[in-house]
Amino acid sequence: MAGAYERHGDGPHTVLVLHGWFGAASTWGALRPHLDGEEFSYVFANYRGYGGRQDVAGEYSIAESARDVLAVADELGVGSFSVVGHSMGGSVMQRVFADAPDRVRSLVGISPVPASGVPFDDETWGLFSGAADDPAHRRAIVDFTTGNRLTGVWLDAMVSQSARNSTPEAVAGHLRAWAKTDFHTEIADSEVPIKVIVGEHDPALGEDTIRATFGQWYPKLELEVMANAGHYAPDETPVALATSIESFLRER
């Protein structure tokens, strides 16, 4: 699977890392220097149409992405692993668990999309659906989901990074996937160890949303609200995020 993943570290605990809607395997660059590569082996995956797989077309569904992630684990010969998922990757993360529960050691969601999808009103859907072709829509979404508080230089860099690492078809298709896919009955009452980290400035996938979704489905949920972060904690607060992720994974 050429371009399907990038690796960091060679430790005994394998962690599959799943990017968000505007991300890719390569866009975790701010976080990687702070990860412990002696204790963990991080495998950063690309979905179809993203990063090193921009030339790979697909149906762009949550189920397809989960199958591809499991295929990466199989290719690497990894029997059990933990999964970290950011935003849309949080939905894929839960689908991986639903499909292969016996292989998953633990889950860490970073501002994760619930397994029930995300409801939109017409105006917000228009903003998000326009992001596939219009960089201004992507910029407005990143600005909104980080609390309208960060420098325009950073916003522009996030949009440029997203555009370089995705195709419009993949962005459009994956929006329908993460927003409208509901499989929460398949993971409800799961005993898997799970931590969800949300940014205090995320107006959409913040503490209240997580308690109403993940909090109802996962009895072992640990929830952390990260200070000085919005929806993009991997870029906004990478040192604090790495510390939080690994303190949880070390206990699993």
Side-chain angles (χ1 to χ4, degrees):
M1 297 176 65
Y5 59 89
E6 299 178 9
R7 299 191 68 174
H8 175 89
D10 56 5
H13 187 160
T14 298
V15 185
L16 307 180
V17 187
L18 313 182
H19 65 79
W21 188 39
F22 290 161
S26 63
T27 63
W28 295 88
L31 185 69
R32 289 194 201 190
H34 314 296
L35 298 174
D36 185 343
E38 294 185 2
E39 189 168 356
F40 302 97
S41 293
Y42 290 94
V43 179
F44 298 86
N46 281 311
Y47 313 128
R48 299 184 188 210
Y50 284 86
R53 303 188 79 202
Q54 289 185 65
D55 61 342
V56 181
E59 62 187 42
Y60 308 124
S61 68
I62 298 300
E64 177 183 71
S65 295
R67 289 194 299 270
D68 286 353
V69 169
L70 287 168
V72 167
D74 291 342
E75 180 175 305
L76 294 171
V78 177
S80 66
F81 44 78
S82 293
V83 191
V84 173
H86 173 238
S87 192
M88 175 178 77
S91 180
V92 179
M93 171 187 78
Q94 294 173 87
R95 185 69 256 174
V96 169
F97 170 70
D99 291 344
D102 294 339
R103 300 179 69 179
V104 175
R105 297 175 59 166
S106 61
L107 303 173
V108 179
I110 307 164
S111 297
V113 169
S116 54
V118 177
F120 283 85
D121 58 33
D122 290 343
E123 181 179 358
T124 307
W125 181 257
L127 173 64
F128 276 66
S129 62
D133 297 306
D134 190 340
H137 282 239
R138 299 193 197 199
R139 191 182 195 277
I141 291 166
V142 175
D143 192 20
F144 169 70
T145 58
T146 52
N148 304 113
R149 70 190 218 290
L150 300 176
T151 171
V153 173
W154 180 79
L155 295 174
D156 291 341
M158 290 291 284
V159 171
S160 177
Q161 174 180 265
S162 171
R164 290 194 309 272
N165 283 285
S166 62
T167 66
E169 294 79 12
V171 172
H174 281 103
L175 171 61
R176 292 188 294 270
W178 64 257
K180 299 181 181 296
T181 299
D182 184 353
F183 59 96
H184 78 278
T185 58
E186 297 183 52
I187 50 84
D189 300 320
S190 298
E191 293 291 325
V192 63
I194 179 171
K195 182 173 188 176
V196 171
I197 303 161
V198 297
E200 66 170 328
H201 299 292
D202 188 339
L205 294 174
E207 181 177 6
D208 291 346
T209 297
I210 297 305
R211 291 195 184 281
T213 54
F214 286 78
Q216 303 302 307
W217 307 329
Y218 295 99
K220 294 184 177 180
L221 174 70
E222 295 184 23
L223 176 60
E224 178 180 352
V225 179
M226 183 153 289
N228 202 35
H231 189 69
Y232 291 89
D235 296 277
E236 297 173 79
T237 53
V239 178
L241 180 62
T243 303
S244 178
I245 291 170
E246 293 191 339
S247 66
F248 178 78
L249 292 179
R250 285 192 177 97
E251 301 174 1
R252 312 303 160 201

